[in-house]
Amino acid sequence: MMRWRGAMLDISRHFFDAEFIKKTISALAVFDYNTLHLHLTDDQGWRLESKEFPLLHTVGSIRKQSQNNHGLLEPTYDGIEHSGYLTHHDVREIISHAHSIGIRVIPEINIPGHTGALLAAYPQFGINQNPVEVSGRWGISNHLLRPFSETFEFLTKVFQEVAELFPSEYIHVGGDESLINNWLLDPEVVAWMKSQGFVTAKEVFLYFMQEVEKIINGLGKKMVTWDDAFAFDPDQATQATVMSWRGAAIAQIALDHGREVIQGPVLPTYFDYSQEVSTTEPLAIGGPITLDDVLAFKPLQGATGVQFQLWSEYIQSPVHAEYMMWPRAAALAYRCWGDGKDFETYFGQRRAQLEALGVMIREIDPGQRVNIAHLGIGEYHRGFDTAQIMQFLEESAIAGEVAEFN
Ligand code: ACM
């Protein structure tokens, strides 16, 4: 079987508690998943207790309100506070349950971008040291950590605490969607760059990720990053495992450069995209990504694993999260490491176990389907189709760096 059979749950954009995470682990185990990747931090929330830096969870876990329309539109907000974080006790319970059924839990602490919640707690580590609020808005932000020694000393302690809590051999450090030219807007960063002989923001990014890799490796762990951190410069990037989200071309280049690769391409592994474009579906970032899209996926030869992503900007409730996951998570398992029978037989043999757990499944037959459109954020919105999102990614500043690979 494939070595990394993964599921990613974003508990930053909306918090999902330990009970739900344990239930999800039980459901994933039915389909021989062996890895749960927890996206614990982002601009919209820091969701892990820190004994060393308590403001991370006391300040970083609370936002005043949340955007209730699509992230590419002018935002409107719900005016409702959102909060929540996992305590160390929660994490130990989650890991103990996961290990008892063959699943490892990999933490992600996202740096140097996607750091709005961190900087709301400790603004001294951010560019220009401006006051920052935990964001209620979806999309890519300008927040960026400074590349200074104080930042790396702080990150060493943060990752040390994380490494002690999570026994997994991997720590994921994000590295995606960092708007690195913002470093050039901070006079102290620019002065520091001159003193170090750095000319471009890209050089600073490479340096930043190398420093973080030293921290992670120093803790006896392997680093994982999203493919952005590799694609900036494949020849100078860190040796980290590459989690490839922008398609097979980057994944193949990473394989050719000898990196360990986990494939999680937007199409078809972003399960926050709707399964159908219809007024009966809740608001989603885009879509459709159908069951057939998932069943048609072909992993690259040489990839260590495959993983689906459940980002949660538009997903507030466990029922909604499950509706997005099932049956697509079963289809990905069947396609990538399942046995040879047809999908209906494969799923049919295991569905009673999902039902016994009380999991909400989006029925394939529309006549049997529960309509949960009203549980999503805001009014139904067609969202953006997958091609439009891919175009947006290509045109955006971060993706521009890797346009040659697409
Ligand atoms: C990602 O979707 N930014 C990994």
Side-chain angles (χ1 to χ4, degrees), residues 114 176-177 226 228 245 270 311:
H114 287 277
D176 59 322
E177 300 180 321
W226 295 107
D228 318 41
W245 65 284
Y270 271 34
W311 301 104

Side-chain angles (χ1 to χ4, degrees), residues 206-225:
L206 291 168
Y207 166 78
F208 197 106
M209 297 311 289
Q210 281 157 7
E211 289 301 298
V212 172
E213 186 177 40
K214 280 188 218 155
I215 295 172
I216 301 297
N217 293 347
L219 294 166
K221 306 281 187 180
K222 290 190 198 166
M223 184 162 95
V224 187
T225 68

Side-chain angles (χ1 to χ4, degrees), residues 193-341:
M193 283 173 67
K194 287 207 179 103
S195 76
Q196 300 293 309
F198 289 133
V199 178
T200 64
K202 187 167 151 178
E203 287 167 343
V204 177
F205 182 79
L206 291 168
Y207 166 78
F208 197 106
M209 297 311 289
Q210 281 157 7
E211 289 301 298
V212 172
E213 186 177 40
K214 280 188 218 155
I215 295 172
I216 301 297
N217 293 347
L219 294 166
K221 306 281 187 180
K222 290 190 198 166
M223 184 162 95
V224 187
T225 68
W226 295 107
D227 64 33
D228 318 41
F230 167 76
F232 265 113
D233 189 333
D235 293 320
Q236 292 188 67
T238 66
Q239 293 302 311
T241 296
V242 175
M243 190 165 272
S244 156
W245 65 284
R246 288 175 302 169
I250 296 176
Q252 186 59 56
I253 291 168
L255 285 172
D256 294 344
H257 280 72
R259 299 303 194 281
E260 183 175 54
V261 171
I262 313 301
Q263 286 187 277
V266 173
L267 228 185
T269 72
Y270 271 34
F271 290 176
D272 55 327
Y273 282 57
S274 65
Q275 308 202 39
E276 186 183 312
V277 175
S278 156
T279 50
T280 60
E281 299 298 305
L283 173 63
I285 183 169
I289 292 179
T290 66
L291 195 61
D292 283 343
D293 289 332
V294 180
L295 288 169
F297 179 62
K298 284 198 186 68
L300 285 176
Q301 200 152 29
T304 295
V306 170
Q307 176 172 295
F308 77 78
Q309 278 52 244
L310 199 72
W311 301 104
S312 63
E313 287 94 332
Y314 305 98
I315 302 173
Q316 293 169 302
S317 64
V319 163
H320 187 175
E322 290 173 355
Y323 182 89
M324 304 306 273
M325 256 186 287
W326 308 102
R328 288 186 293 192
L332 192 69
Y334 167 76
R335 182 67 192 86
C336 297
W337 56 83
D339 51 35
K341 299 182 202 78

Side-chain angles (χ1 to χ4, degrees), residues 41-101:
T41 73
D42 215 301
D43 294 315
Q44 295 84 3
W46 182 283
R47 308 273 172 231
L48 180 65
E49 179 186 16
S50 175
K51 309 269 192 211
E52 192 72 38
F53 300 108
L55 298 184
L56 287 172
H57 67 271
T58 58
V59 171
S61 73
I62 302 170
R63 66 170 179 259
K64 288 196 188 112
Q65 55 183 358
S66 306
Q67 184 170 355
N68 59 6
N69 63 346
H70 195 281
L72 294 182
L73 300 177
E74 199 48 44
T76 58
Y77 293 96
D78 64 5
I80 300 169
E81 184 179 288
H82 185 78
S83 63
Y85 61 89
L86 298 177
T87 63
H88 283 202
H89 176 74
D90 288 333
V91 171
R92 286 195 200 96
E93 296 258 303
I94 289 166
I95 290 173
S96 159
H97 175 62
H99 285 187
S100 75
I101 52 177

